[in-house]
Amino acid sequence: MASEPIEVDTTSRRKRQNRLEAAITNPGAVKINVTGAFIVDDEPRSKSPVDAEGVHYENKDIRLPHHTGVVSHVAVDIGGTLAKLVYFTREPDTADNGGRLNFLNFETHRIDLCINFIRQLKEEHEKRNGSARDGLCVVATGGGAYKYYDRLKEELNVNILREEEMECLIIGLDFFITEIPNEVFTYSDSDAEPMQYAEARPDVYPYLLVNIGSGVSMIKVSGPRQFERVGGTHLGGGTFWGIMSLLTGSRTFDDMLAMADRGDNSAVDMLVGDIYGMDYTKIGLKSTAIASTFGKVLRLKNDAEQGADGEGSIRGDHPSESSEASHGPKPNPEDMSRSLLYAISNNIGQIAYLQSEKHSVKHIYFGGSFIRGHRQTMNTLSYAIRFWSKGEKQAYFLRHEGYLGAVGAFIRRQPQNWGRRNSVDDVVAPQAVRNLVQNNNVLQQHGRSSSEL
């Protein structure tokens, strides 16, 4: 009768040992020491490390004062419009001997610039650490991780690790929410201080991620690594960029956003006030609410053509005093830019609200390179969520909104030298692994080694 519990105990120990073996053979993601991490705001660089059109340096490095280990990888998220790069640089001359995460993006059609810059990082890494040990590798995600895989491997002659895009987005967002102070914020231009930082909540999940890149994906996140894509729209940043290039001839995204800042959408949009002459209070619409995007353009065009044909003189008007005086100025590129920005942002905001309502989610995070920290974009998205939810739901933004996927890929990188040759005490092992090792050491102290279990 005494043999039965011994057999059960042996089986249990064998299972624990198997879990230990699996944990050491297949370790978790690299652990970045984020103790004391902060966003660098007071040290703007004078210029981007790559001096070329289509390259944007964020000037929002994240200082990691206590991460002193060698980082032998860079991460890149290659989308349809932009390639977002995250890389770590050591700062050995500082008192803490730490380093920082750097953020840089390239227009995807200039992928050659991105590849050349990664090559420079590879050469610098080899100078500091030697080429034989821990050679630099690239962790890639996004559609371009597949489209440009062969080219990256051939031109860089490095190991290319591909990671799943949606998973990287969630890992990156969770990292920013929980680990980086003053990263997440709310925005409303109706407040005295429009930008308010949000502290990490104990009830992080569930939430909805609305990732606005070339297109838009909406992902419900129920817990760590628990997510599903619940919807989206093809009207995103690529739409704004493409239509703006047709309407205005502008080529850079920053120029288009600057044009929107100077524009007046009421010159091209038909407003509620244009129809009612006042607020439509019965259904809660102000006179400034947009009734029809670009709804005035055809009328303005017809009036301008009539004025040019001299038809205004039939009504007793002078051609030079055509309908421009009564109907407002002829739309200019700035007005069209602002109208289009509002149209796309409002559309995304309303769809995001509907998805959050359908899936019972209260907190909505907006990410992606379309936002770019642009106040009109953030205010429109935030207003849409507040309006449709009657203030019950909250929109959140991030200071590194375009780098969720790249950061997720960066922290998923597994150290190449983590295995039996290295003691788990020499690396930052996942807590589950450390617990298993500790339990194994206790057994050995009682005269039973793991090989006996």
Side-chain angles (χ1 to χ4, degrees), residues 112-408:
D112 56 310
L113 294 176
C114 182
I115 292 174
N116 288 337
F117 184 67
I118 295 175
R119 185 181 293 110
Q120 294 177 26
L121 295 177
K122 173 190 173 184
E123 293 171 355
E124 292 172 4
H125 179 82
E126 290 176 349
K127 288 179 181 178
R128 291 192 304 268
N129 305 289
S131 58
R133 183 177 180 271
D134 287 336
L136 190 75
C137 77
V138 175
V139 188
T141 189
Y146 297 87
K147 181 177 181 179
Y148 297 104
Y149 177 81
D150 292 336
R151 183 174 175 184
L152 288 167
K153 196 166 184 64
E154 179 181 349
E155 295 191 25
L156 294 173
N157 191 29
V158 297
N159 190 23
I160 309 293
L161 305 178
R162 290 181 289 197
E163 297 289 348
E164 201 279 322
E165 181 177 4
M166 294 297 173
E167 187 170 356
C168 286
L169 286 172
I170 304 309
I171 293 172
L173 178 53
D174 281 352
F175 174 78
F176 280 126
I177 291 174
T178 59
E179 303 291 356
I180 306 301
N182 295 338
E183 173 68 40
V184 180
F185 61 94
T186 60
Y187 191 92
S188 173
D189 64 5
S190 62
D191 296 335
E193 292 291 336
M195 184 176 175
Q196 297 286 340
Y197 289 116
E199 297 295 330
R201 305 187 316 275
D203 56 335
V204 175
Y205 309 103
Y207 65 76
L208 184 72
L209 167 60
V210 181
N211 193 58
I212 314 173
S214 301
V216 184
S217 285
M218 300 183 185
I219 308 164
K220 179 184 178 181
V221 184
S222 303
R225 314 295 176 91
Q226 299 176 23
F227 62 90
E228 63 173 327
R229 186 181 188 274
V230 295
T233 171
H234 54 275
L235 302 178
T239 310
F240 178 75
W241 199 326
I243 294 178
M244 279 298 296
S245 66
L246 291 174
L247 292 177
T248 70
S250 181
R251 289 292 177 265
T252 71
F253 199 75
D254 289 331
D255 286 347
M256 294 173 186
L257 292 179
M259 291 171 66
D261 286 337
R262 301 190 299 270
D264 177 8
N265 70 297
S266 66
V268 295
D269 291 344
M270 186 176 294
L271 309 181
V272 168
D274 295 321
I275 301 173
Y276 285 88
M278 62 183 74
D279 294 346
Y280 192 174
T281 55
K282 189 173 183 178
I283 60 174
L285 292 178
K286 296 181 179 180
S287 62
T288 54
I290 299 171
S292 175
T293 297
F294 278 46
K296 289 180 182 175
V297 173
L298 181 59
R299 186 183 69 185
L300 292 173
K301 182 179 179 182
N302 288 340
D303 288 346
E305 290 174 350
Q306 289 175 2
D309 292 339
E311 293 182 13
S313 59
I314 298 176
R315 301 191 302 269
D317 299 328
H318 297 289
S320 60
E321 299 174 357
S322 64
S323 57
E324 182 173 303
S326 58
H327 295 295
K330 182 179 179 181
N332 57 39
E334 287 80 7
D335 301 336
M336 292 186 287
S337 177
R338 191 162 187 138
S339 172
L340 186 61
L341 183 73
Y342 281 161
I344 292 174
S345 300
N346 273 315
N347 182 63
I348 294 171
Q350 185 172 12
I351 295 175
Y353 160 74
L354 292 172
Q355 290 291 355
S356 70
E357 190 73 5
K358 178 180 178 181
H359 296 280
S360 302
V361 176
K362 185 176 180 180
H363 303 285
I364 305 169
Y365 291 85
F366 288 94
S369 298
F370 170 71
I371 300 174
R372 250 351 201 299
H374 190 249
R375 59 182 183 84
Q376 291 176 355
T377 306
M378 294 187 297
N379 191 67
T380 304
L381 292 168
S382 187
Y383 178 82
I385 298 301
R386 287 198 313 273
F387 177 84
W388 291 110
S389 71
K390 295 180 172 57
E392 294 182 359
K393 299 180 187 291
Q394 180 65 61
Y396 296 94
F397 304 93
L398 298 104
R399 299 183 66 187
H400 295 90
E401 70 278 284
Y403 294 88
L404 305 185
V407 168

